[in-house]
């Protein structure tokens, strides 16, 4: 259902959290675009399995297994990639986690750990990769936020704070690097029925209410519904679009 963007062919696309869920679907979608994809994910074996699956396309998928909350390991891995692989043209900061807490019943460590994954790794990838992207004459950075920034559920205070931080980071970073022909945008997904969501949080009642009462469109959202937006933002087709957060949630949030 998605178009082939010819400019994405052979582009180097780095995706954090590219082994499962939304990231897995994005990896496969960019493989169909014949891109060169680098996955950073702690689920190394699943990443390898996806790389094998993608061999049906004329693409390359490189997998690096690491914990993205380990800043030193992340910086070392990015240094290695900078030496060994072509410059990253499209950076997709995507890995994240969405714990629920009653009010603020979390420790300071829980709060900081969540920021380490949902925000700090986004900052570090940008800091480490930007000099090369600037030297290369431009690129596209896409960050995964969430529509919960606008929905603001009471049991996801910490998560919403991390995802709002991403919206702020996108707006300032876009201002800072636009002159280098680098675009920075966010995608804010609605409730996406990934394997983990289905296992951890989805109940038939909650899903039914979301799809049939809270969303404008009665669509059960899967990662496939997000692909078109990421591909569009990665491609030169959206060359005049930067500093934006695109909410893809079938009309649930009033952003
Ligand atoms: N699924 C949804 O409903 C939804 C909605 C809005 C936003 N999001 C956001 O989308 C992004 C992807 O979410 P998802 O639902 O696909 O999640 P997921 O759990 O299905 O996949 C996340 C991937 O990130 C990897 N990962 C997680 N923590 C890691 C760590 N510390 N080090 C290395 N890799 C790690 C996992 O191994 C996995 O491959 C997240 O930022 C999430 O907050 C998801």
């Amino acid at each position: 259902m998605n178009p082939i963007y010819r400019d994405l062919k052979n582009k180097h696309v780095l995706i954090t959290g590219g082994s499962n869920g939304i990231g897995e679907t994005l990896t496969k979608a960019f493989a169909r675009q014949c891109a060169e994809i680098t996955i950073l994910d702690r689920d190394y074996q699943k990443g390898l399995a996806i790389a094998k699956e993608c061999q049906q396309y004329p693409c390359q998928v490189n997998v690096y297994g690491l914990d993205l909350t380990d800043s030193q390991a992340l910086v070392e891995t990015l240094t290695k990639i900078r030496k060994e692989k072509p410059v990253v043209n499209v950076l997709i900061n995507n890995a994240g986690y969405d714990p629920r807490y009653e009010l603020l019943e979390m420790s300071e460590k829980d709060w900081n750990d969540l920021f380490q994954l949902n925000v700090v790794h986004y900052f570090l990838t940008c800091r480490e990769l930007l000099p090369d992207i600037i030297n290369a004459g431009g690129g596209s950075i896409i960050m995964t936020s969430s529509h919960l920034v606008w929905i603001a559920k009471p049991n996801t205070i910490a998560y919403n704070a991390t995802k709002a931080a991403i919206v702020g980071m996108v707006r300032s970073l876009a201002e800072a690097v636009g002159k280098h022909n680098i675009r920075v945008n966010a995608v804010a997904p609605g409730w996406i029925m990934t394997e983990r969501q289905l296992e951890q949080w989805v109940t038939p009642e909650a899903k039914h209410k979301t799809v049939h009462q809270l969303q404008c469109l009665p669509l059960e959202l899967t990662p496939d519904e997000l692909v078109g937006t990421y591909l569009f933002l990665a491609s030169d087709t959206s060359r005049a679009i930067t500093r934006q957060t695109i909410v893809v949630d079938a009309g649930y949030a009033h952003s």
Side-chain angles (χ1 to χ4, degrees), residues 20 22 41-42 66-68 94 144 159 163 190 192 196:
N20 291 283
I22 294 167
D41 201 301
R42 67 180 169 197
L66 76 156
D67 181 349
L68 291 160
N94 166 74
T144 305
Y159 178 72
K163 292 302 181 182
I192 308 297
R196 185 175 62 77

Side-chain angles (χ1 to χ4, degrees), residues 16-24 39-44 46 65-70 93-98 117-118 121-122 144-148 159 162-163 187-197 200 221 223 226 230:
T16 72
S19 294
N20 291 283
I22 294 167
E24 172 183 353
I39 296 175
L40 303 191
D41 201 301
R42 67 180 169 197
D43 194 346
Y44 182 63
K46 179 74 184 298
L66 76 156
D67 181 349
L68 291 160
T69 64
D70 179 342
N93 283 322
N94 166 74
Y97 186 56
D98 56 349
L117 177 63
N118 287 9
H121 103 258
Y122 286 39
T144 305
S145 178
S146 169
H147 79 155
L148 282 178
Y159 178 72
T162 65
K163 292 302 181 182
V187 178
W191 203 11
I192 308 297
M193 299 296 138
T194 57
E195 220 170 283
R196 185 175 62 77
Q197 289 296 318
Q200 250 185 318
L221 297 177
L226 302 173
Y230 282 89

Side-chain angles (χ1 to χ4, degrees), residues 173-195:
L173 193 58
E175 287 280 344
V177 298
K179 59 179 176 286
H180 299 293
N181 196 29
I182 300 171
R183 299 183 296 110
V184 189
N185 294 290
V187 178
W191 203 11
I192 308 297
M193 299 296 138
T194 57
E195 220 170 283

Side-chain angles (χ1 to χ4, degrees), residues 14-71:
L14 187 145
I15 306 175
T16 72
S19 294
N20 291 283
I22 294 167
E24 172 183 353
T25 301
L26 293 178
T27 300
K28 291 174 181 167
F30 280 97
R32 280 191 288 276
Q33 301 286 331
C34 308
E36 171 160 355
I37 301 127
T38 296
I39 296 175
L40 303 191
D41 201 301
R42 67 180 169 197
D43 194 346
Y44 182 63
Q45 292 306 327
K46 179 74 184 298
L48 289 182
I50 292 167
K52 201 167 172 199
E53 215 181 300
C54 290
Q55 281 173 359
Q56 60 183 299
Y57 305 108
C59 68
Q60 200 177 327
V61 180
N62 321 295
V63 187
Y64 293 83
L66 76 156
D67 181 349
L68 291 160
T69 64
D70 179 342
S71 298

Side-chain angles (χ1 to χ4, degrees), residues 101-178:
Y101 294 98
E102 200 56 45
L103 197 56
L104 288 173
E105 288 176 12
M106 68 197 84
S107 67
E108 190 177 341
K109 183 175 183 309
D110 293 334
W111 178 277
N112 287 336
D113 286 351
L114 194 64
F115 269 77
Q116 189 68 29
L117 177 63
N118 287 9
V119 182
V120 177
H121 103 258
Y122 286 39
F123 145 67
L124 286 174
T125 52
C126 290
R127 189 189 70 186
E128 295 302 303
L129 297 176
L130 264 172
D132 290 348
I133 302 177
I134 290 170
N135 280 339
S140 175
I141 299 175
I142 309 169
M143 312 212 199
T144 305
S145 178
S146 169
H147 79 155
L148 282 178
V149 173
W150 293 274
I151 306 275
K153 296 266 188 213
N155 58 352
T156 52
I157 296 171
Y159 178 72
N160 297 355
T162 65
K163 292 302 181 182
I166 296 309
V167 174
M169 196 194 309
V170 159
R171 292 172 65 82
S172 288
L173 193 58
E175 287 280 344
V177 298

